[in-house]
């Protein structure tokens, strides 16, 4: 059975800190790994990583895929209170199906 | 570009009642997904459509859940009869469905269901 595990489940830091969120997976026919940010509504897309694009960066957010270790990290530098959200990792296998992890709840205190 | 639309946004029902959710995907997106997200968990895929055909419904509790996408555009998800454990957010997502690539899924705002 395909499985995605995120850690930590919850993280509380102060504004300005740097955080690293982890995602590990066991998926047959791996095609891609996606990160989403979920506030009080629907998940919004952040990054997609594939074998041909194992590192992505957008502003203060960056992500790396380690296909050997079957894992990915999401880094957020100089955190702001607006970064508070649940961060979801999802892995794509065959037929465009995504398997989601349970999410990391990130809280940024001012 | 309009996003994925869902309605209603909130629904409160009593157990054993029935409920239906509606989703209209992004225009041109062939693939449509329904997810169930229980509080504190990640979304779990219930059913995936490619146009009006079902690609994957292996995690859909078929004794009480049903879904259709008759014209290959909008879709409805029904629960009949509802149980307490069906309380969750029901998310609809859509994607372009490119063949060679894991296409990004775009999510609607969700329907929050509370079963009493």
């Amino acid at each position: 059975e395909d499985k995605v595990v995120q850690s930590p489940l919850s993280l509380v830091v102060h504004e300005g800190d740097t955080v690293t969120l982890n995602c590990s997976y066991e998926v047959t026919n791996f095609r891609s790994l996606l990160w989403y940010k979920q506030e009080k509504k629907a998940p919004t897309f952040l990054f997609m990583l594939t074998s041909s694009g194992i590192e992505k960066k957008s502003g203060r957010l960056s992500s790396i895929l380690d296909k050997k270790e079957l894992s990915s990290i999401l880094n957020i530098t100089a955190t702001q209170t607006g970064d508070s959200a649940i961060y979801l990792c999802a892995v794509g296998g065959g037929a465009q199906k995504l398997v989601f992890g349970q999410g990391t709840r990130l809280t940024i205190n001012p | 570009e309009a996003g994925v639309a869902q309605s209603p946004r909130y629904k409160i029902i009593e157990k054993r009642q029935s409920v239906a959710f509606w989703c209209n995907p992004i225009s041109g997106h062939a693939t449509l997904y329904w997810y169930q997200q229980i509080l504190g968990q990640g979304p779990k895929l219930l059913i995936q459509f490619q146009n009006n055909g079902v690609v994957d419904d292996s995690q859909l509790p078929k004794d009480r859940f049903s879904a259709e996408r008759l014209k290959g555009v909008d879709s409805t998800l029904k629960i009949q009869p509802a149980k307490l454990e069906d309380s969750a957010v029901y998310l609809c997502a859509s994607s372009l469905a490119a063949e060679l690539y894991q296409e990004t899924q775009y999510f609607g705002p969700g329907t929050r269901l509370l079963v009493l």
Side-chain angles (χ1 to χ4, degrees):
Chain A
E1 183 181 332
D2 295 343
K3 190 176 175 183
V4 178
V5 177
Q6 293 184 243
S7 64
L9 292 181
S10 180
L11 185 58
V12 181
V13 300
H14 290 291
E15 202 168 18
D17 288 352
T18 293
V19 298
T20 298
L21 311 183
N22 300 285
C23 174
S24 62
Y25 60 90
E26 295 176 25
V27 175
T28 55
N29 300 318
F30 173 87
R31 295 177 67 172
S32 61
L33 185 145
L34 292 82
W35 285 97
Y36 285 86
K37 177 182 181 182
Q38 186 174 29
E39 297 169 269
K40 292 183 180 178
K41 45 186 179 179
T44 54
F45 172 74
L46 293 175
F47 297 120
M48 180 168 67
L49 303 161
T50 66
S51 299
S52 59
I54 62 171
E55 188 167 353
K56 293 286 177 71
K57 183 175 171 61
S58 176
R60 297 177 295 103
L61 277 67
S62 63
S63 183
I64 297 174
L65 174 67
D66 187 336
K67 284 203 70 180
K68 185 178 177 183
E69 296 297 327
L70 304 184
S71 66
S72 174
I73 60 170
L74 175 68
N75 278 323
I76 308 176
T77 60
T79 53
Q80 302 170 359
T81 54
D83 295 327
S84 295
I86 295 172
Y87 289 84
L88 294 167
C89 172
V91 176
Q96 303 153 38
K97 178 179 174 179
L98 287 181
V99 178
F100 281 84
Q102 70 273 56
T104 293
R105 180 178 293 275
L106 176 64
T107 302
I108 311 297
N109 288 326
Chain B
E1 178 183 272
V4 177
Q6 287 188 250
S7 66
R9 295 295 307 277
Y10 304 92
K11 191 75 177 178
I12 301 175
I13 61 173
E14 294 187 347
K15 61 183 179 184
R16 290 188 288 272
Q17 285 187 320
S18 62
V19 65
F21 313 128
W22 175 82
C23 172
N24 194 28
I26 293 172
S27 177
H29 280 197
T31 308
L32 184 147
Y33 313 78
W34 283 103
Y35 289 88
Q36 180 192 60
Q37 186 174 24
I38 292 172
L39 189 64
Q41 300 180 18
K44 183 184 87 171
L45 179 69
L46 293 175
I47 189 167
Q48 176 184 343
F49 291 95
Q50 178 85 6
N51 298 306
N52 60 350
V54 175
V55 174
D56 185 345
D57 63 356
S58 56
Q59 298 193 92
L60 186 73
K62 298 181 186 65
D63 57 334
R64 298 184 302 105
F65 286 66
S66 64
E68 60 183 16
R69 194 185 184 200
L70 292 175
K71 296 182 179 179
V73 180
D74 57 345
S75 174
T76 55
L77 175 70
K78 296 179 182 177
I79 308 175
Q80 182 179 10
K83 292 186 176 181
L84 297 177
E85 59 261 36
D86 298 331
S87 294
V89 175
Y90 290 84
L91 295 165
C92 179
S94 69
S95 68
L96 273 172
E99 290 182 0
L100 299 178
Y101 225 77
Q102 174 62 59
E103 197 63 38
T104 302
Q105 295 182 21
Y106 297 91
F107 286 82
T111 296
R112 187 176 297 275
L113 174 68
L114 179 60
V115 182
L116 302 175

